[in-house]
Each structure stands twice: as structure tokens, then as C-alpha cells.
């Protein structure tokens, strides 16, 4: 099995992004699966173009995208992406679409094709807090969650994809009093456990896990 794991570059004035920093530190093999790592720009459509090109090049079985959710206290595995660009801030090239569809011919939403509850259970079992999230927002993270599923449905049928949000890493919390953070080591440990669950679970487990984030 090959798993493409993507992480965003820094955005929003932050000097680092724990998404790409954690992706870089993942092992090259997890539970027998080859891990392919890719940095993507925090830019609408260009992020998807880069992922699409890497899928065509490497033919992964799974695409797992990782993004920063500053303010969340735990690792959150996303359930659904919606067909809406509504950017609260400009992306890294100044684009700021508001209330626009990601793909005009796409459905209102796509659900993750990953075993989200098994992933949460595995991360928690590794001693790292995690939960299911039912909203990926409407910025570039949701753009990629929805967009990769759209691309897979149209060009790469059978490939699984999904998205995981991670908190600020500890160094980013300096000067942000009261804002949750997580050490980079723990983020990497949590992502590794989540990926192990992807490898071991073709379908998801049946456990409650829905909540409003």
C-alpha cells in the first residue's frame, strides 16, 4: 500500500505550519505502507493541482491531507467536506473567494473515505487526544478535503482520501495566552497512529463519535 500524505506551508502570518513539519517527520513506512510526503501551497486550486500531479506520478492507494486548526485542543479527523470556498482571510496568493463553489458541477458535500472513527480510536490509544470533527471550515483545508475527493471521483475511482486537522504546535502558542497547543513529537505520534488505522481498516468501526467542533 502507498499513502500520499500532504501538509500545507505556513500561512496567516505564522512562521511555521505544524502540518508540513509533522508530515516531514513521519516514518517512510508505517504498518507496511509506503509513505509519500508532499508539501502543498495554502492557495486555492494550486494546492489541488499539486496533489493531482502527485497522484498521477505515484499512484497512491490513499491520500491523507493534514492541516493546522489553531485553537483546537486535539487532533481532529474530518468527516465531511462541503462545496464552498468562503475564505476568512486571503490565501498565500491573496485570493479570498466568498460563498463560491469549489467545483460548480460537484455535489454539495463529499464524505471522507477513511475510517475516521478507527483513526480517532487509534490516536487516543496512543495517548494523544483526538476526536471526530463534523466541520472542516470553509478555508483551504476544506477546499482540499472536498477537492481531492472530487478529483478522485472523476479521475481516480477507488482511491480513498480524507483530512486530519492538528493543533498549533507548542512554539506557536507563545504569545497566544490560553490557546491550546501540542508538541510536534505528539502530533507525529498521533498521525502515525492514525495512518496505522488507515492501513488496518478498509471500513470504519461502528462507534459513536459525532460532535460539534
Amino acid at each position: 500500500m502507498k499513502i500520499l500524505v500532504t501538509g500545507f506551508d505556513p500561512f496567516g502570518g505564522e512562521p511555521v505550519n505544524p502540518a508540513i513539519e509533522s508530515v516531514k517527520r513521519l516514518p517512510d513506512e508505517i504498518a507496511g505502507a509506503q509513505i509519500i510526503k508532499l508539501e502543498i501551497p495554502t492557495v486555492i486550486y494550486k494546492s489541488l493541482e499539486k496533489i493531482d500531479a502527485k497522484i498521477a506520478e505515484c499512484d497512491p492507494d490513499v491520500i491523507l491531507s493534514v492541516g493546522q486548526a489553531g485553537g483546537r485542543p486535539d487532533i481532529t479527523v474530518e468527516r465531511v467536506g462541503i462545496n464552498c470556498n468562503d475564505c476568512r482571510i486571503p490565501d498565500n496568493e491573496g485570493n479570498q473567494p466568498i460563498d463560491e463553489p469549489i467545483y460548480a458541477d460537484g455535489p454539495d458535500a463529499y464524505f471522507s473515505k477513511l475510517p475516521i472513527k478507527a483513526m480517532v480510536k487509534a490516536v487516543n490509544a496512543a495517548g494523544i487526544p483526538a476526536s471526530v470533527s463534523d466541520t472542516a471550515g470553509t478555508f483551504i483545508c476544506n477546499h482540499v478535503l472536498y477537492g481531492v475527493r472530487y478529483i478522485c471521483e472523476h479521475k481516480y475511482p477507488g482511491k480513498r482520501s480524507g483530512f486530519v486537522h492538528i493543533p498549533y504546535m507548542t512554539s506557536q502558542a507563545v504569545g497566544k495566552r490560553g490557546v491550546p497547543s501540542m508538541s510536534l513529537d505528539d502530533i507525529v505520534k498521533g498521525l502515525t497512529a492514525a495512518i496505522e488505522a488507515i492501513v488496518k481498516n478498509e471500513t470504519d468501526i461502528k462507534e459513536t463519535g459525532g460532535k460539534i467542533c
Side-chain angles (χ1 to χ4, degrees), residues 158-213:
K159 295 192 184 298
R160 296 189 289 162
S161 70
F163 199 99
V164 173
H165 267 122
I166 58 176
Y168 283 135
M169 63 185 185
T170 307
S171 63
Q172 292 176 281
V174 176
K176 299 182 179 74
R177 185 176 177 84
V179 174
S181 65
M182 186 177 288
S183 74
L184 187 57
D185 285 346
D186 281 349
I187 293 171
V188 173
K189 184 178 179 182
L191 290 177
T192 300
I195 292 169
E196 289 175 352
I198 293 171
V199 175
K200 295 174 181 177
N201 294 270
E202 185 72 25
T203 58
D204 208 359
I205 59 176
K206 288 287 186 180
E207 290 187 4
T208 185
K211 69 182 184 68
I212 296 175
C213 287

Side-chain angles (χ1 to χ4, degrees), residues 41-116:
T42 308
V43 179
I44 61 169
Y45 300 110
K46 284 190 176 180
S47 50
L48 296 175
E49 290 168 4
K50 192 162 184 180
I51 295 171
D52 190 0
K54 197 68 173 179
I55 295 172
E57 175 191 344
C58 298
D59 191 27
D61 302 284
V62 175
I63 303 94
L64 174 65
S65 299
V66 180
Q68 169 192 291
R72 291 190 185 182
D74 58 353
I75 291 176
T76 46
V77 184
E78 297 296 342
R79 189 195 300 265
V80 60
I82 61 173
N83 192 10
C84 180
N85 285 321
D86 190 6
C87 296
R88 59 183 176 79
I89 59 173
D91 69 13
N92 282 353
E93 290 190 355
N95 304 297
Q96 193 176 8
I98 297 174
D99 294 335
E100 295 180 5
I102 299 169
Y103 288 105
D105 64 339
D108 290 341
Y110 281 117
F111 284 91
S112 169
K113 294 296 185 179
L114 301 183
I116 61 172

